[in-house]
Amino acid sequence: MSVLDPTLALVQATPSPLDRAVRSVPARVWLAVGVLLFGALLSYAVIAVNRRILESAGVPGTIEGTAFERTAREFGTSTVSIIAKLSGYFIFILSMLVALTVADVSFISEFWNRVAVFLPKVFIAILVLIVGIVVGDKVQLLVEERLRGVKLPQVSVLPLAAKYSVFYIAALVALSQINVATGALVVLLGAYALAVVLFCSLAFRDLLASGAAGIFLLLNQPYGIGDRVRIGETEGIVQEVDIFVTHVETDDEEYVVPNRRAMTDGIVRIRS
């Protein structure tokens, strides 16, 4: 054996600084790192799966044209992508909490325990807000489409009222999830609903009166299609009776008479 052999054996037996650093890390820390990596992979998979599920369910086509979707497109994303990523981030944050628990980080354990209880509520609250905004936008579009043929200036208020009503209810649900007292807001919602009812009663009183009269006419049928009638100063042959108006036709003109006039001006059936 040469003189260098003992020295060589001593060098080989001495661990390198990197080996010493690796061995000095507790096993629970390595386990925590593994949990964190697994959480990252799982969150990525959840994002991809949720996006595919939402696309297969036809959500992109359903919310197309809503204000929230247009805003999301301006930022280079979409509503489906936001919801999918939100669920993935939730999984990743949970994995962080589990990793910190495994690593036994004692000085922040109490803080993270409180976060672990509060985090699902925050996730649900954010999700409810997003869904409420999207549904509110969609309700506005549907109401506008339904009322497109109604030529009344007051009707333009109804789509906005429907939209913000959905927003308000979604905000109430979201705040209740994070334990915010919503009693005053519920009272305010009741006052808002009462104001909407009063507004509709005043703004659409003629329309409501015609609707009530139309129901009476349809149930009692004082005149029918083909009868010659005189309603106020309008005389002609009845062509159609619906819930709000009666169509009366003369030789060269057709009158659309509000049903409330049949109740206020009276109806005269002209016999041939």
Side-chain angles (χ1 to χ4, degrees), residues 84-259:
K85 288 181 178 179
L86 185 64
S87 59
Y89 295 155
F90 176 71
I91 295 296
F92 182 71
I93 294 175
L94 283 181
S95 68
M96 289 179 58
L97 297 177
V98 174
L100 288 170
T101 303
V102 171
D104 195 19
V105 184
S106 57
F107 65 92
I108 58 172
S109 59
E110 184 177 353
F111 170 77
W112 283 115
N113 287 337
R114 293 185 178 182
V115 171
V117 174
F118 192 64
L119 184 63
K121 298 180 179 180
V122 174
F123 170 75
I124 295 175
I126 295 174
L127 188 60
V128 167
L129 280 178
I130 293 176
V131 172
I133 292 173
V134 173
V135 172
D137 290 336
K138 194 64 178 179
V139 167
Q140 180 186 14
L141 294 176
L142 291 175
V143 174
E144 286 177 348
E145 184 177 353
R146 292 289 184 181
L147 299 177
R148 187 169 297 169
V150 180
K151 305 301 182 182
L152 289 174
Q154 298 92 335
V155 168
S156 60
V157 181
L158 294 181
L160 289 176
K163 172 183 177 179
Y164 290 111
S165 297
V166 175
F167 285 1
Y168 198 93
I169 293 173
L172 284 178
V173 176
L175 290 174
S176 65
Q177 288 296 317
I178 55 177
N179 298 329
V180 175
T182 57
L185 295 177
V186 172
V187 173
L188 185 61
L189 177 61
Y192 168 76
L194 180 61
V196 170
V197 171
L198 291 176
F199 170 79
C200 291
S201 300
L202 294 175
F204 302 102
R205 59 184 182 276
D206 293 339
L207 189 64
L208 293 174
S210 292
I215 294 174
F216 174 82
L217 294 175
L218 291 173
L219 291 176
N220 293 275
Q221 295 183 348
Y223 56 82
I225 296 174
D227 291 341
R228 189 173 188 85
V229 299
R230 184 169 61 246
I231 303 175
E233 298 179 355
T234 303
E235 180 179 333
I237 298 174
V238 177
Q239 299 295 321
E240 182 182 353
V241 181
D242 62 26
I243 191 72
F244 294 110
V245 296
T246 296
H247 296 261
V248 178
E249 188 178 65
T250 61
D251 293 336
D252 53 357
E253 293 178 326
E254 180 179 350
Y255 297 94
V256 180
V257 183
N259 287 333

Side-chain angles (χ1 to χ4, degrees), residues 18-37:
L18 180 59
D19 291 337
R20 289 197 300 270
V22 171
R23 293 176 182 176
S24 64
V25 176
R28 64 177 181 274
V29 175
W30 292 115
L31 182 58
V33 172
V35 169
L36 194 60
L37 292 175

